[in-house]
Amino acid sequence: MEQAGEYRIPAERAVVWRSLNDPAVLARCIDGCQSMEQLADDRFAATVKARVGPVRATFDVALTLTDMRPPESYVLEAEVKGKTAGFGKGTAEVALADADDGATLLSYRVVGRVGGKLAQIGARLIDSAARKMADDFFSAFHQAVDPTTKPS
């Protein structure tokens, strides 16, 4: 699975960077997130209840930030385990840039793979679910950093 996108966040880059590294903000923005804990400056653990096609499960998620260049970019490495539902592993390159109007442009590129039951449901369904999860996350994130505006 490969995916890329760009979102305009109506806040200064430093605010967006802090919010992307705040477990409380992340927990509010990830649909189905039951817990989010920061284990170290560069590591998080989460439990997320999600549905991907016919597969519904609770997933344990380990996140590690590497190649950090505050407040410009980092690489997010994720390992996801869903007991009987399967597993996933991926890397996301996240970059922040200033927009002309004081907002921040957030761009990302994800490469990942899944196994177990998740792999059996097909790439098209996985890609569609991943796109929806990203759009839902960034819509909620948009509201978290600037609750006075509607997402674009």
Side-chain angles (χ1 to χ4, degrees):
M1 173 193 79
E2 288 190 38
Q3 189 177 105
E6 183 174 277
Y7 294 89
R8 185 184 166 285
I9 309 293
E12 294 178 357
R13 187 167 21 147
V15 171
V16 174
W17 179 266
R18 275 193 311 274
S19 298
L20 283 173
N21 291 281
D22 183 334
V25 172
L26 296 174
R28 285 195 319 266
C29 297
I30 298 170
D31 190 32
C33 186
Q34 297 179 323
S35 68
M36 172 71 71
E37 180 182 2
Q38 187 164 9
L39 305 174
D41 286 344
D42 63 348
R43 291 187 308 124
F44 297 85
T47 303
V48 179
K49 196 174 199 173
R51 180 178 178 172
V52 180
V55 177
R56 203 178 253 174
T58 300
F59 297 91
D60 293 323
V61 182
L63 302 171
T64 303
L65 304 177
T66 62
D67 299 331
M68 293 178 69
R69 289 180 287 224
E72 295 174 9
S73 64
Y74 61 63
V75 174
L76 175 69
E77 296 174 2
E79 287 191 43
V80 180
K81 296 177 185 173
K83 296 180 177 74
T84 61
F87 62 90
K89 197 170 194 172
T91 302
E93 298 169 357
V94 178
L96 304 177
D98 294 328
D100 293 337
D101 60 358
T104 301
L105 294 177
L106 181 151
S107 59
Y108 73 93
R109 183 179 162 279
V110 175
V111 177
R113 61 184 171 83
V114 297
K117 280 186 185 177
L118 288 174
Q120 296 170 1
I121 64 174
R124 178 177 272 167
L125 199 52
I126 294 285
D127 288 346
S128 175
R131 173 64 63 194
K132 181 178 181 339
M133 287 177 188
D135 288 343
D136 290 350
F137 171 82
F138 286 113
S139 178
F141 186 76
H142 184 282
Q143 289 296 303
V145 296
D146 186 3
T148 63
T149 65
K150 295 194 187 298
S152 53

